[in-house]
mmCIF file of all heavy atoms in Angstrom:
data_model
loop_
_atom_site.group_PDB
_atom_site.id
_atom_site.type_symbol
_atom_site.label_atom_id
_atom_site.label_comp_id
_atom_site.label_asym_id
_atom_site.label_seq_id
_atom_site.Cartn_x
_atom_site.Cartn_y
_atom_site.Cartn_z
ATOM 1 N N GLY A 1 -3.940 -4.848 14.857
ATOM 2 C CA GLY A 1 -2.839 -5.155 13.944
ATOM 3 C C GLY A 1 -3.212 -4.822 12.515
ATOM 4 O O GLY A 1 -3.876 -3.832 12.238
ATOM 5 N N HIS A 2 -2.758 -5.674 11.571
ATOM 6 C CA HIS A 2 -3.048 -5.501 10.150
ATOM 7 C C HIS A 2 -2.591 -4.123 9.648
ATOM 8 O O HIS A 2 -3.344 -3.432 8.949
ATOM 9 C CB HIS A 2 -4.535 -5.710 9.858
ATOM 10 C CG HIS A 2 -4.987 -7.124 10.021
ATOM 11 N ND1 HIS A 2 -4.873 -8.063 9.012
ATOM 12 C CD2 HIS A 2 -5.515 -7.767 11.097
ATOM 13 C CE1 HIS A 2 -5.341 -9.223 9.447
ATOM 14 N NE2 HIS A 2 -5.716 -9.076 10.712
ATOM 15 N N ALA A 3 -1.374 -3.717 10.022
ATOM 16 C CA ALA A 3 -0.805 -2.511 9.420
ATOM 17 C C ALA A 3 -0.971 -2.618 7.914
ATOM 18 O O ALA A 3 -0.702 -3.658 7.309
ATOM 19 C CB ALA A 3 0.671 -2.403 9.794
ATOM 20 N N LEU A 4 -1.445 -1.546 7.293
ATOM 21 C CA LEU A 4 -1.949 -1.666 5.927
ATOM 22 C C LEU A 4 -1.572 -0.459 5.095
ATOM 23 O O LEU A 4 -1.479 0.665 5.598
ATOM 24 C CB LEU A 4 -3.480 -1.816 5.981
ATOM 25 C CG LEU A 4 -4.232 -2.140 4.695
ATOM 26 C CD1 LEU A 4 -5.341 -3.136 4.970
ATOM 27 C CD2 LEU A 4 -4.833 -0.871 4.088
ATOM 28 N N ALA A 5 -1.371 -0.687 3.810
ATOM 29 C CA ALA A 5 -1.193 0.391 2.844
ATOM 30 C C ALA A 5 -2.170 0.167 1.700
ATOM 31 O O ALA A 5 -2.370 -0.967 1.250
ATOM 32 C CB ALA A 5 0.236 0.426 2.313
ATOM 33 N N ALA A 6 -2.793 1.246 1.245
ATOM 34 C CA ALA A 6 -3.743 1.182 0.135
ATOM 35 C C ALA A 6 -3.332 2.174 -0.931
ATOM 36 O O ALA A 6 -2.787 3.246 -0.638
ATOM 37 C CB ALA A 6 -5.161 1.490 0.616
ATOM 38 N N GLY A 7 -3.607 1.824 -2.188
ATOM 39 C CA GLY A 7 -3.290 2.698 -3.308
ATOM 40 C C GLY A 7 -4.429 3.638 -3.628
ATOM 41 O O GLY A 7 -5.544 3.499 -3.112
ATOM 42 N N PRO A 8 -4.193 4.600 -4.510
ATOM 43 C CA PRO A 8 -5.203 5.612 -4.821
ATOM 44 C C PRO A 8 -6.416 5.082 -5.571
ATOM 45 O O PRO A 8 -7.409 5.797 -5.720
ATOM 46 C CB PRO A 8 -4.437 6.641 -5.662
ATOM 47 C CG PRO A 8 -3.237 5.924 -6.169
ATOM 48 C CD PRO A 8 -2.908 4.897 -5.145
ATOM 49 N N TRP A 9 -6.392 3.850 -6.010
ATOM 50 C CA TRP A 9 -7.558 3.195 -6.611
ATOM 51 C C TRP A 9 -8.280 2.326 -5.593
ATOM 52 O O TRP A 9 -9.260 1.663 -5.908
ATOM 53 C CB TRP A 9 -7.133 2.383 -7.830
ATOM 54 C CG TRP A 9 -8.215 2.075 -8.803
ATOM 55 C CD1 TRP A 9 -8.660 0.837 -9.167
ATOM 56 C CD2 TRP A 9 -8.988 3.003 -9.590
ATOM 57 N NE1 TRP A 9 -9.653 0.929 -10.108
ATOM 58 C CE2 TRP A 9 -9.878 2.258 -10.385
ATOM 59 C CE3 TRP A 9 -9.022 4.401 -9.687
ATOM 60 C CZ2 TRP A 9 -10.779 2.852 -11.275
ATOM 61 C CZ3 TRP A 9 -9.910 4.987 -10.565
ATOM 62 C CH2 TRP A 9 -10.778 4.221 -11.336
ATOM 63 N N GLY A 10 -7.767 2.306 -4.352
ATOM 64 C CA GLY A 10 -8.390 1.547 -3.276
ATOM 65 C C GLY A 10 -7.840 0.155 -3.083
ATOM 66 O O GLY A 10 -8.287 -0.575 -2.198
ATOM 67 N N GLU A 11 -6.837 -0.226 -3.867
ATOM 68 C CA GLU A 11 -6.287 -1.571 -3.757
ATOM 69 C C GLU A 11 -5.382 -1.688 -2.539
ATOM 70 O O GLU A 11 -4.701 -0.733 -2.164
ATOM 71 C CB GLU A 11 -5.511 -1.943 -5.028
ATOM 72 C CG GLU A 11 -4.201 -1.200 -5.248
ATOM 73 C CD GLU A 11 -4.343 0.190 -5.868
ATOM 74 O OE1 GLU A 11 -5.425 0.802 -5.734
ATOM 75 O OE2 GLU A 11 -3.351 0.664 -6.445
ATOM 76 N N VAL A 12 -5.379 -2.862 -1.885
ATOM 77 C CA VAL A 12 -4.501 -3.107 -0.746
ATOM 78 C C VAL A 12 -3.117 -3.459 -1.271
ATOM 79 O O VAL A 12 -2.950 -4.418 -2.024
ATOM 80 C CB VAL A 12 -5.051 -4.231 0.155
ATOM 81 C CG1 VAL A 12 -4.041 -4.584 1.250
ATOM 82 C CG2 VAL A 12 -6.378 -3.818 0.779
ATOM 83 N N LEU A 13 -2.134 -2.691 -0.862
ATOM 84 C CA LEU A 13 -0.758 -2.903 -1.302
ATOM 85 C C LEU A 13 0.035 -3.747 -0.323
ATOM 86 O O LEU A 13 0.997 -4.411 -0.708
ATOM 87 C CB LEU A 13 -0.056 -1.554 -1.480
ATOM 88 C CG LEU A 13 -0.726 -0.566 -2.433
ATOM 89 C CD1 LEU A 13 0.028 0.759 -2.416
ATOM 90 C CD2 LEU A 13 -0.783 -1.134 -3.842
ATOM 91 N N ALA A 14 -0.345 -3.705 0.955
ATOM 92 C CA ALA A 14 0.350 -4.479 1.985
ATOM 93 C C ALA A 14 -0.561 -4.620 3.186
ATOM 94 O O ALA A 14 -1.346 -3.723 3.499
ATOM 95 C CB ALA A 14 1.652 -3.800 2.395
ATOM 96 N N ASP A 15 -0.458 -5.771 3.862
ATOM 97 C CA ASP A 15 -1.203 -6.037 5.094
ATOM 98 C C ASP A 15 -0.310 -6.926 5.949
ATOM 99 O O ASP A 15 -0.010 -8.065 5.559
ATOM 100 C CB ASP A 15 -2.528 -6.729 4.769
ATOM 101 C CG ASP A 15 -3.400 -6.987 5.991
ATOM 102 O OD1 ASP A 15 -2.869 -7.022 7.113
ATOM 103 O OD2 ASP A 15 -4.614 -7.195 5.821
ATOM 104 N N LEU A 16 0.125 -6.418 7.098
ATOM 105 C CA LEU A 16 1.067 -7.164 7.939
ATOM 106 C C LEU A 16 0.388 -8.171 8.862
ATOM 107 O O LEU A 16 1.055 -8.799 9.684
ATOM 108 C CB LEU A 16 1.920 -6.190 8.752
ATOM 109 C CG LEU A 16 2.767 -5.206 7.929
ATOM 110 C CD1 LEU A 16 3.684 -4.394 8.837
ATOM 111 C CD2 LEU A 16 3.568 -5.924 6.849
ATOM 112 N N GLY A 17 -0.925 -8.327 8.738
ATOM 113 C CA GLY A 17 -1.628 -9.374 9.470
ATOM 114 C C GLY A 17 -1.551 -9.181 10.972
ATOM 115 O O GLY A 17 -1.691 -8.083 11.489
ATOM 116 N N THR A 18 -1.324 -10.271 11.679
ATOM 117 C CA THR A 18 -1.272 -10.230 13.143
ATOM 118 C C THR A 18 0.130 -10.547 13.669
ATOM 119 O O THR A 18 0.294 -10.960 14.814
ATOM 120 C CB THR A 18 -2.291 -11.197 13.754
ATOM 121 O OG1 THR A 18 -2.032 -12.528 13.272
ATOM 122 C CG2 THR A 18 -3.713 -10.804 13.381
ATOM 123 N N ALA A 19 1.146 -10.336 12.842
ATOM 124 C CA ALA A 19 2.523 -10.571 13.279
ATOM 125 C C ALA A 19 2.844 -9.707 14.486
ATOM 126 O O ALA A 19 2.515 -8.520 14.504
ATOM 127 C CB ALA A 19 3.492 -10.271 12.150
ATOM 128 N N PRO A 20 3.484 -10.264 15.519
ATOM 129 C CA PRO A 20 3.788 -9.486 16.727
ATOM 130 C C PRO A 20 4.853 -8.420 16.512
ATOM 131 O O PRO A 20 4.970 -7.488 17.314
ATOM 132 C CB PRO A 20 4.255 -10.542 17.724
ATOM 133 C CG PRO A 20 4.732 -11.675 16.881
ATOM 134 C CD PRO A 20 3.874 -11.686 15.667
ATOM 135 N N ALA A 21 5.611 -8.533 15.453
ATOM 136 C CA ALA A 21 6.599 -7.514 15.088
ATOM 137 C C ALA A 21 6.914 -7.696 13.611
ATOM 138 O O ALA A 21 7.351 -8.778 13.199
ATOM 139 C CB ALA A 21 7.871 -7.641 15.915
ATOM 140 N N ALA A 22 6.649 -6.662 12.806
ATOM 141 C CA ALA A 22 6.857 -6.796 11.371
ATOM 142 C C ALA A 22 7.059 -5.422 10.759
ATOM 143 O O ALA A 22 6.594 -4.408 11.277
ATOM 144 C CB ALA A 22 5.661 -7.489 10.714
ATOM 145 N N SER A 23 7.756 -5.415 9.628
ATOM 146 C CA SER A 23 7.938 -4.182 8.868
ATOM 147 C C SER A 23 8.012 -4.535 7.389
ATOM 148 O O SER A 23 8.323 -5.678 7.018
ATOM 149 C CB SER A 23 9.208 -3.448 9.289
ATOM 150 O OG SER A 23 10.361 -4.206 8.949
ATOM 151 N N ARG A 24 7.732 -3.535 6.574
ATOM 152 C CA ARG A 24 7.837 -3.720 5.125
ATOM 153 C C ARG A 24 8.067 -2.358 4.499
ATOM 154 O O ARG A 24 7.392 -1.384 4.846
ATOM 155 C CB ARG A 24 6.584 -4.370 4.547
ATOM 156 C CG ARG A 24 6.651 -4.597 3.040
ATOM 157 C CD ARG A 24 5.475 -5.383 2.536
ATOM 158 N NE ARG A 24 5.424 -5.406 1.092
ATOM 159 C CZ ARG A 24 4.440 -5.944 0.372
ATOM 160 N NH1 ARG A 24 3.429 -6.523 1.001
ATOM 161 N NH2 ARG A 24 4.462 -5.899 -0.940
ATOM 162 N N VAL A 25 9.018 -2.279 3.579
ATOM 163 C CA VAL A 25 9.281 -1.036 2.863
ATOM 164 C C VAL A 25 8.558 -1.081 1.524
ATOM 165 O O VAL A 25 8.700 -2.043 0.761
ATOM 166 C CB VAL A 25 10.794 -0.821 2.656
ATOM 167 C CG1 VAL A 25 11.043 0.420 1.800
ATOM 168 C CG2 VAL A 25 11.499 -0.673 4.003
ATOM 169 N N LEU A 26 7.766 -0.045 1.260
ATOM 170 C CA LEU A 26 6.976 0.046 0.040
ATOM 171 C C LEU A 26 7.472 1.209 -0.808
ATOM 172 O O LEU A 26 7.819 2.265 -0.277
ATOM 173 C CB LEU A 26 5.506 0.286 0.375
ATOM 174 C CG LEU A 26 4.843 -0.725 1.308
ATOM 175 C CD1 LEU A 26 3.517 -0.194 1.789
ATOM 176 C CD2 LEU A 26 4.664 -2.048 0.600
ATOM 177 N N GLU A 27 7.477 1.024 -2.106
ATOM 178 C CA GLU A 27 7.790 2.112 -3.028
ATOM 179 C C GLU A 27 6.487 2.608 -3.633
ATOM 180 O O GLU A 27 5.809 1.873 -4.356
ATOM 181 C CB GLU A 27 8.750 1.653 -4.122
ATOM 182 C CG GLU A 27 9.172 2.786 -5.050
ATOM 183 C CD GLU A 27 10.236 2.358 -6.040
ATOM 184 O OE1 GLU A 27 9.886 1.666 -7.011
ATOM 185 O OE2 GLU A 27 11.427 2.717 -5.846
ATOM 186 N N LEU A 28 6.135 3.845 -3.317
ATOM 187 C CA LEU A 28 4.885 4.423 -3.795
ATOM 188 C C LEU A 28 5.152 5.262 -5.042
ATOM 189 O O LEU A 28 5.982 6.180 -5.016
ATOM 190 C CB LEU A 28 4.263 5.294 -2.707
ATOM 191 C CG LEU A 28 4.075 4.645 -1.327
ATOM 192 C CD1 LEU A 28 3.370 5.618 -0.395
ATOM 193 C CD2 LEU A 28 3.313 3.329 -1.431
ATOM 194 N N ASP A 29 4.457 4.958 -6.116
ATOM 195 C CA ASP A 29 4.575 5.689 -7.375
ATOM 196 C C ASP A 29 3.644 6.901 -7.305
ATOM 197 O O ASP A 29 2.428 6.775 -7.491
ATOM 198 C CB ASP A 29 4.195 4.772 -8.538
ATOM 199 C CG ASP A 29 4.164 5.491 -9.880
ATOM 200 O OD1 ASP A 29 4.578 6.664 -9.948
ATOM 201 O OD2 ASP A 29 3.709 4.874 -10.861
ATOM 202 N N LEU A 30 4.197 8.066 -7.043
ATOM 203 C CA LEU A 30 3.372 9.252 -6.867
ATOM 204 C C LEU A 30 2.704 9.685 -8.166
ATOM 205 O O LEU A 30 1.686 10.384 -8.140
ATOM 206 C CB LEU A 30 4.213 10.390 -6.288
ATOM 207 C CG LEU A 30 4.845 10.087 -4.919
ATOM 208 C CD1 LEU A 30 5.711 11.251 -4.476
ATOM 209 C CD2 LEU A 30 3.784 9.772 -3.878
ATOM 210 N N GLY A 31 3.250 9.252 -9.284
ATOM 211 C CA GLY A 31 2.591 9.520 -10.555
ATOM 212 C C GLY A 31 1.217 8.884 -10.636
ATOM 213 O O GLY A 31 0.336 9.383 -11.346
ATOM 214 N N GLU A 32 1.021 7.798 -9.910
ATOM 215 C CA GLU A 32 -0.277 7.130 -9.892
ATOM 216 C C GLU A 32 -1.347 8.038 -9.297
ATOM 217 O O GLU A 32 -2.505 8.013 -9.727
ATOM 218 C CB GLU A 32 -0.175 5.830 -9.095
ATOM 219 C CG GLU A 32 -1.430 4.981 -9.087
ATOM 220 C CD GLU A 32 -1.765 4.389 -10.441
ATOM 221 O OE1 GLU A 32 -0.940 4.472 -11.369
ATOM 222 O OE2 GLU A 32 -2.870 3.828 -10.573
ATOM 223 N N VAL A 33 -0.963 8.843 -8.312
ATOM 224 C CA VAL A 33 -1.916 9.796 -7.725
ATOM 225 C C VAL A 33 -2.380 10.779 -8.787
ATOM 226 O O VAL A 33 -3.585 11.019 -8.955
ATOM 227 C CB VAL A 33 -1.275 10.536 -6.533
ATOM 228 C CG1 VAL A 33 -2.198 11.629 -6.018
ATOM 229 C CG2 VAL A 33 -0.939 9.550 -5.420
ATOM 230 N N ALA A 34 -1.438 11.355 -9.525
ATOM 231 C CA ALA A 34 -1.790 12.320 -10.570
ATOM 232 C C ALA A 34 -2.661 11.685 -11.639
ATOM 233 O O ALA A 34 -3.642 12.293 -12.104
ATOM 234 C CB ALA A 34 -0.517 12.898 -11.185
ATOM 235 N N ARG A 35 -2.340 10.449 -12.021
ATOM 236 C CA ARG A 35 -3.129 9.783 -13.063
ATOM 237 C C ARG A 35 -4.550 9.524 -12.602
ATOM 238 O O ARG A 35 -5.512 9.723 -13.361
ATOM 239 C CB ARG A 35 -2.436 8.484 -13.482
ATOM 240 C CG ARG A 35 -1.150 8.697 -14.264
ATOM 241 C CD ARG A 35 -0.607 7.414 -14.832
ATOM 242 N NE ARG A 35 -0.061 6.514 -13.818
ATOM 243 C CZ ARG A 35 1.185 6.568 -13.365
ATOM 244 N NH1 ARG A 35 2.024 7.501 -13.817
ATOM 245 N NH2 ARG A 35 1.622 5.708 -12.472
ATOM 246 N N ARG A 36 -4.711 9.063 -11.365
ATOM 247 C CA ARG A 36 -6.055 8.782 -10.859
ATOM 248 C C ARG A 36 -6.857 10.066 -10.684
ATOM 249 O O ARG A 36 -8.068 10.099 -10.945
ATOM 250 C CB ARG A 36 -5.967 8.022 -9.533
ATOM 251 C CG ARG A 36 -5.395 6.606 -9.648
ATOM 252 C CD ARG A 36 -6.158 5.769 -10.638
ATOM 253 N NE ARG A 36 -5.633 4.401 -10.717
ATOM 254 C CZ ARG A 36 -6.032 3.496 -11.613
ATOM 255 N NH1 ARG A 36 -6.950 3.829 -12.505
ATOM 256 N NH2 ARG A 36 -5.519 2.279 -11.618
#
């Protein structure tokens, strides 16, 4: 489990844990990639 999203600096943006069914919509700032 623990569906996860991480940012370009290595920070955890989302972690769905051990939920048997879960979803989350994330808005990724692509400018952050260019800046990093």
Side-chain angles (χ1 to χ4, degrees):
H2 291 275
L4 188 140
W9 201 241
E11 70 278 24
V12 173
L13 304 175
D15 183 338
L16 300 186
T18 58
S23 66
R24 181 173 170 185
V25 175
L26 304 167
E27 184 174 76
L28 307 183
D29 175 8
L30 300 177
E32 185 68 10
V33 174
R35 290 189 289 274
R36 293 305 182 187

